[in-house]
């Protein structure tokens, strides 16, 4: 390329006209070569089937399905199973696919080729997806495509049924665990209520009522005991008054040798001694006073026994007044004994009521602790009960959903558009490849043209010389050739153009035969 040379459109056209064969020959050669190669490529046929997702026949408001995957997720989950080596190898053997490849390559490579290059699975919208297969035989392509579609439909039914049954079994196991925990918690609550019976928060009113009743009964019992004790003191006073007439005789001066001879006299003397001790200020609990009172009780019992032992028909032993006095004494002694028994019984009742009041008060005092413990137990029980009820409801729903899938009235895959027999191959696209070959040849020719022009340093015009040396051209001397030189140049040009034209014509013939 000459320095400082500029190209005009006329110059470019001149270069193309001068180097015409540099562009045409690569185009012709590449077009013929591409057409020949493309013609040898095998025809590939393509078949497609469309599968529609049909929703379940029972409304979702009545039966909620346990399979909630989207269409794309379900297709992606089933796809590895359908395209597994076992399934594809079975299809290859059944339809005798890839016979040449199976002779040259291991089955694993053939299956991988079919999975990666010939089978295509893709969604076409929210409720359908397509399955396509590519192969050299149109009938085989159609049959294989339909077989893949049937495998997808069958696998979808099995997968949905398996998911529904798996969900049902899982919920069943969770339900049994929740039930066991709930029963255990119920036993703990039952044991707690049994151990702390009477101290539970629900029994607070009963405990308070028992405390109030026991305290009222205790108060009434104590008042009754006090009344009985007052009555006993009054009876003892009356008894002492009845026994006073003989006290004077018992207290009469006696000689040193005088000793009370009768039981009545001994009783009178003992009662007088008790009276004197009480008058002296001795209280109950003093040994002397207690001993004197015990002697009085013993003598009274003895007098009563003697009075009962006297014959009724013995005349003149006692006077009527004495007998009446003895009867009144005996009656008073019986009343005192009865009061003693009542007082003892009421004292026992007082102890019982006191214990009952203390026990009821203890249960009432334990209420805050029991309430806190029971609240904690009931909180866990309520949580377990809610979990159990929730699992029970879900278990029933999952069982209904499993029955729905088992009867095949749930969501299903249905063949919407069955694969048809391909009428013409879809690959290779020979026209496209031929155009690409011609385009590559044109690119090669233009590249050669540019390379030759870049390396060409010939001065073809005076402008080329003027631009290279920067001097004006004064004269141009034409090339001097003899007739022989001109003839040789002419023949050389004719041979060159003829050879190149022959090459172009041969390439054109090859191209036309290849594209027919």
């Amino acid at each position: 390329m000459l320095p400082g040379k500029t190209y005009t459109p006329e110059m470019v056209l001149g270069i193309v006209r001068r180097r015409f064969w540099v562009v045409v020959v690569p185009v012709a050669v590449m077009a013929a070569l591409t057409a020949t190669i493309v013609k040898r490529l095998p025809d590939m046929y393509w078949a497609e089937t469309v599968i529609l997702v049909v929703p379940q026949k029972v409304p979702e408001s009545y039966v909620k399905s346990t399979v909630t995957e989207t269409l794309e997720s379900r297709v992606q989950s089933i796809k590895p199973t359908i395209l597994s080596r076992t399934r594809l190898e079975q299809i290859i053997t059944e339809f005798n696919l890839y016979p040449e490849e199976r002779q040259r390559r291991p089955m694993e490579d053939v299956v991988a080729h079919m999975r990666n290059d010939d089978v295509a699975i893709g969604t076409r919208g929210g409720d359908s997806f397509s399955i396509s297969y590519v192969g050299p035989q149109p009938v085989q392509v159609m049959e294989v495509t339909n077989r893949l579609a049937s495998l997808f439909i069958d696998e979808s039914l099995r997968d949905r049924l398996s998911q529904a049954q798996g969900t049902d079994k899982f919920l069943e196991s969770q339900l049994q665990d929740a039930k066991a925990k709930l029963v255990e918690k119920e036993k703990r609550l039952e044991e707690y209520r049994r151990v702390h019976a009477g101290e539970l928060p629900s029994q607070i009113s009963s405990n308070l009522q028992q405390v109030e009743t026991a305290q009222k009964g205790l108060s009434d019992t104590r008042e009754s005991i006090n009344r009985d004790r007052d009555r006993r003191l009054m009876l003892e006073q009356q008894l002492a008054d009845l026994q006073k007439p003989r006290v004077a005789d018992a207290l009469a001066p006696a000689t040193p040798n005088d000793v009370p001879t009768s039981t009545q006299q001994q009783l009178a003397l003992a009662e007088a001694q008790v009276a004197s001790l009480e008058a002296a200020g001795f209280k109950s609990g003093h040994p002397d006073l207690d001993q004197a009172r015990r002697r009085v009780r013993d003598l009274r019992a003895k007098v009563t026994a003697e009075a009962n032992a006297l014959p009724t028909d013995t005349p003149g032993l006692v006077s009527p007044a004495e007998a009446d006095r003895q009867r009144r004494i005996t009656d008073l002694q019986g009343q005192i004994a009865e009061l003693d028994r009542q007082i003892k019984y009421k004292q026992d009742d007082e102890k019982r009521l006191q214990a009952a009041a203390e026990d009821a008060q203890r249960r009432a005092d334990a209420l805050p602790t029991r309430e806190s413990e029971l609240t904690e137990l009931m909180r866990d029980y309520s949580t377990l009960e809610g979990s159990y009820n929730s699992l029970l409801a879900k278990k029933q729903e999952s069982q209904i959903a499993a029955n729905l899938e088992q009867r095949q009235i749930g969501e299903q895959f249905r063949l919407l558009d069955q694969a048809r027999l391909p009428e013409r191959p879809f690959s290779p696209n020979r026209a496209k490849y031929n155009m690409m070959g011609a385009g590559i040849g044109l690119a090669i020719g233009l590249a050669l043209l540019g390379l030759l022009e870049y390396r060409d340093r010939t001065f073809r015009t005076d402008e080329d010389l003027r631009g290279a040396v920067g001097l004006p051209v004064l004269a141009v001397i034409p090339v001097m050739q003899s007739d022989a030189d001109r003839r040789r140049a002419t023949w050389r040009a004719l041979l060159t153009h003829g050879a190149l034209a022959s090459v172009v014509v041969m390439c054109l013939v090859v191209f036309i035969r290849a594209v027919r």
Side-chain angles (χ1 to χ4, degrees):
M1 181 177 178
L2 295 174
K5 186 176 182 178
T6 58
Y7 292 91
T8 62
E10 293 79 6
M11 295 177 64
V12 173
L13 290 176
I15 293 171
V16 172
R17 187 167 49 254
R18 186 175 64 253
R19 303 183 185 276
F20 174 76
W21 296 111
V22 175
V23 178
V24 173
V25 171
V27 171
V29 172
M30 288 301 300
L33 181 62
T34 303
T36 303
I37 295 174
V38 170
K39 185 178 181 180
R40 295 178 179 272
L41 295 176
D43 292 335
M44 301 299 292
Y45 295 87
W46 174 82
E48 182 185 46
T49 181
V50 178
I51 298 177
L52 179 67
V53 180
V54 180
Q56 67 180 31
K57 300 178 182 179
V58 181
E60 285 279 346
S61 58
Y62 294 136
V63 179
K64 187 176 182 180
S65 176
T66 55
V67 183
T68 57
E69 293 180 322
T70 61
L71 174 61
E72 186 175 357
S73 299
R74 288 181 57 194
V75 171
Q76 293 300 323
S77 64
I78 299 175
K79 182 177 178 180
T81 305
I82 302 300
L83 299 183
S84 63
R85 177 174 178 177
T86 303
R87 296 289 182 87
L88 293 183
E89 187 173 348
Q90 182 180 1
I91 294 175
I92 291 172
T93 305
E94 179 181 356
F95 294 98
N96 193 24
L97 303 177
Y98 312 105
E100 297 179 359
E101 287 82 352
R102 282 189 290 167
Q103 293 178 357
R104 295 183 289 101
R105 302 166 61 186
M107 179 60 74
E108 183 177 359
D109 294 344
V110 176
V111 171
H113 169 71
M114 180 179 180
R115 180 190 303 117
N116 299 327
D117 299 334
D118 296 342
V119 178
I121 301 172
T123 57
R124 300 183 54 166
D127 57 352
S128 64
F129 65 97
S130 63
I131 301 174
S132 62
Y133 175 69
V134 177
Q137 300 295 330
V139 177
Q140 284 184 344
V141 169
M142 178 187 67
E143 293 175 349
V144 170
T145 304
N146 289 328
R147 175 57 59 87
L148 290 172
S150 64
L151 290 177
F152 247 96
I153 293 173
D154 295 340
E155 187 62 29
S156 174
L157 292 175
R158 284 193 296 268
D159 184 64
R160 287 184 64 87
L161 181 59
S162 176
Q163 289 188 36
Q165 292 178 345
T167 303
D168 184 61
K169 291 181 180 179
F170 172 74
L171 290 176
E172 177 67 25
S173 63
Q174 294 297 312
L175 184 64
Q176 294 299 327
D177 294 341
K179 183 178 181 181
K181 293 180 181 179
L182 187 63
V183 170
E184 181 183 359
K185 184 63 69 174
E186 287 177 348
K187 290 181 179 179
R188 290 181 59 186
L189 281 172
E190 181 181 358
E191 179 66 18
Y192 184 84
R193 290 191 178 100
R194 186 184 63 80
V195 172
H196 301 288
E199 301 177 1
L200 302 177
S202 59
Q203 298 171 328
I204 178 62
S205 59
S206 175
N207 288 332
L208 295 177
Q209 185 176 2
Q210 289 180 12
V211 171
E212 183 179 356
T213 303
Q215 290 178 350
K216 186 176 182 304
L218 185 62
S219 177
D220 295 341
T221 302
R222 287 174 179 174
E223 291 179 0
S224 179
I225 291 174
N226 292 332
R227 289 195 300 269
D228 290 342
R229 286 176 177 173
D230 293 339
R231 179 172 173 74
R232 188 179 185 284
L233 290 176
M234 184 182 66
L235 293 176
E236 287 180 348
Q237 186 65 36
Q238 292 178 3
L239 182 61
D241 292 341
L242 290 174
Q243 293 174 348
K244 281 182 180 179
R246 301 188 63 84
V247 174
D249 297 336
L251 295 178
T255 61
N257 294 327
D258 290 338
V259 178
T261 57
S262 65
T263 305
Q264 291 289 343
Q265 292 177 349
Q266 294 177 5
L267 178 59
L269 183 60
E271 290 178 347
Q273 185 178 2
V274 170
S276 63
L277 289 174
E278 290 179 349
F282 291 97
K283 302 295 183 180
S284 296
H286 194 277
D288 295 339
L289 181 59
D290 292 341
Q291 183 178 4
R293 287 180 175 176
R294 284 196 298 272
R295 181 171 176 75
V296 169
R297 287 196 296 271
D298 295 340
L299 290 174
R300 287 176 180 172
K302 187 175 181 181
V303 168
T304 303
E306 290 177 355
N308 293 331
L310 290 176
T312 57
D313 57 350
T314 305
L317 293 178
V318 291
S319 63
E322 182 63 22
D324 182 64
R325 191 176 68 84
Q326 292 295 334
R327 182 184 57 76
R328 291 179 61 191
I329 290 174
T330 303
D331 185 51
L332 290 174
Q333 289 175 347
Q335 293 182 21
I336 291 173
E338 179 65 25
L339 286 174
D340 289 338
R341 286 193 298 272
Q342 291 181 4
I343 290 173
K344 184 177 183 306
Y345 173 77
K346 292 178 180 179
Q347 287 176 344
D348 294 339
D349 196 19
E350 179 185 11
K351 293 179 181 179
R352 180 183 60 80
L353 290 173
Q354 181 68 30
E358 292 176 355
D359 185 61
Q361 187 63 43
R362 179 187 60 79
R363 293 196 300 269
D365 293 340
L367 173 64
T369 302
R370 302 293 174 253
E371 184 177 10
S372 177
E373 295 173 352
L374 188 62
T375 300
E376 184 176 358
L377 289 174
M378 287 301 298
R379 184 187 303 115
D380 296 340
Y381 177 79
S382 300
T383 302
L384 289 175
E385 186 179 21
S387 177
Y388 175 78
N389 292 332
S390 176
L391 286 174
L392 182 60
K394 292 179 180 178
K395 172 65 173 61
Q396 293 175 350
E397 293 178 357
S398 68
Q399 189 172 8
I400 296 174
N403 294 335
L404 190 72
E405 297 296 337
Q406 191 170 8
R407 296 182 182 182
Q408 296 185 6
I409 55 178
E411 184 179 282
Q412 298 180 6
F413 285 169
R414 179 176 297 175
L415 195 62
L416 179 63
D417 191 6
Q418 193 173 11
R420 299 179 181 272
L421 183 66
E423 297 179 357
R424 60 177 179 270
F426 89 104
S427 177
N429 190 345
R430 291 183 171 85
K432 177 181 178 181
Y433 292 156
N434 290 331
M435 291 180 64
M436 290 177 60
I440 293 173
L442 179 61
I444 294 174
L446 293 176
L448 289 175
L449 178 65
L451 179 62
L452 293 175
E453 184 65 23
Y454 177 77
R455 296 177 61 86
D456 187 8
R457 297 182 176 274
T458 304
F459 296 103
R460 297 186 181 276
T461 62
D462 54 351
E463 286 81 4
D464 294 340
L465 182 60
R466 189 184 304 112
V469 300
L471 297 175
V473 177
L474 300 177
V476 177
I477 303 174
V479 178
M480 300 297 182
Q481 288 183 333
S482 63
D483 294 336
D485 293 335
R486 283 194 294 271
R487 286 195 296 271
R488 282 195 297 271
T490 302
W491 280 106
R492 187 166 51 250
L494 289 175
L495 290 175
T496 302
H497 289 291
L500 293 175
S502 299
V503 172
V504 171
V505 171
M506 291 176 60
C507 291
L508 183 60
V509 172
V510 172
F511 178 80
I512 293 174
R513 288 183 178 181
V515 298
R516 283 183 179 179

